[in-house]
Amino acid sequence: MDPRQADPIERLIHELKKLPGIGRKTATRMAYMLLGKQADLAQSLAEALTYAKQHVHECRLCGNLSARNPCPICEDPRRSAQVICVTENVSDLLAIESSGEFSGTYHVLGGALSPLNGIGPAELRIPVLVERLQQGETKELILATSSTVDGDTTALYLAKIAAPFKVKVTRIASGIPSGSDLEYLDRVTIGRALSGRAELSS
């Protein structure tokens, strides 16, 4: 059945369940909270979401989400444009930023390579990364993809395409548990991973 034709409460629960880490039980609790005594919160939340969707966009340089374009990180003259940290998503970028250990720039791929799911280089922001490498300013490419099969596949692919540009390619590994996502790690662990990154050969 089309969720739009379902009971209003069921439709709300259905949509809330689409959020990461939200199961039916939590979605149900959130739905009744928003529809009950927190009705004013529901209205302000809806307005905030609408406003954000209208004013927040992808940074044309790195892919970060921001109301400014380029984003504040790319515009910051204190950041080193010679070092690019590649992440799968904006959540990973924010996790690395929270560590306070990185002063370069970023490149958000928008996911990881996953041939079984039909996600190839063209579906990610890999062509844009190649364009950045072609400018010749990059000295080091830090691959901060997740320690998963898809993340490792993506890292190896990026190391291969970066080889012709003669840039140093490193991969964060130390302190990152296998199969983990960066956004769920604490800033100390991420900081150690950045500091202990190893060079990755193509």
Side-chain angles (χ1 to χ4, degrees):
M1 181 179 179
D2 188 340
R4 292 171 295 182
Q5 299 176 351
D7 176 84
I9 296 178
E10 279 301 314
R11 180 183 175 185
L12 178 57
I13 293 171
H14 176 81
E15 295 301 324
L16 289 171
K17 279 171 55 183
K18 294 179 181 179
L19 296 172
I22 303 297
R24 180 173 177 81
K25 187 174 182 179
T26 301
T28 301
R29 186 166 61 249
M30 292 173 64
Y32 279 98
M33 180 196 73
L34 291 169
L35 295 172
K37 295 181 179 179
Q38 300 294 328
D40 290 343
L41 173 60
Q43 181 63 34
S44 61
L45 179 61
E47 292 174 356
L49 283 170
T50 300
Y51 185 81
K53 285 295 291 181
Q54 292 173 342
H55 295 86
V56 175
H57 307 282
E58 275 191 1
C59 172
R60 66 174 182 269
L61 298 178
C62 73
N64 186 20
L65 293 177
S66 172
R68 288 158 54 184
N69 202 350
C71 71
I73 293 176
C74 288
E75 282 190 323
D76 190 343
R78 297 169 297 180
R79 315 286 300 214
S80 172
Q82 295 184 336
V83 183
I84 299 177
C85 181
V86 181
T87 67
E88 293 180 18
N89 51 58
V90 175
S91 296
D92 293 342
L93 180 157
L94 296 175
I96 292 174
E97 271 297 282
S98 71
S99 74
E101 293 290 330
F102 184 64
S103 59
T105 56
Y106 293 93
H107 188 87
V108 181
L109 295 174
L113 292 173
S114 183
L116 293 177
N117 294 314
I119 302 176
E123 283 67 49
L124 303 177
R125 298 184 71 255
I126 292 178
V128 183
L129 177 61
V130 173
E131 291 178 7
R132 294 181 70 179
L133 294 176
Q134 288 174 337
Q135 295 175 4
E137 190 175 4
T138 307
K139 302 299 182 184
E140 181 181 1
L141 196 65
I142 303 175
L143 304 179
T145 53
S146 298
S147 299
T148 61
V149 173
D150 289 344
D152 290 340
T153 299
T154 304
L156 291 173
Y157 179 82
L158 294 178
K160 183 177 180 180
I161 66 170
F165 299 101
K166 308 299 181 185
V167 300
K168 181 180 180 182
V169 179
T170 57
R171 172 93 159 105
I172 61 170
S174 177
I176 303 294
S178 178
S180 63
D181 289 321
L182 287 176
E183 61 183 298
Y184 300 117
L185 300 177
D186 63 272
R187 64 180 185 179
V188 174
T189 298
I190 293 174
R192 288 175 179 170
L194 279 169
S195 300
R197 63 184 181 273
E199 189 161 359
L200 190 66
S201 57
S202 58

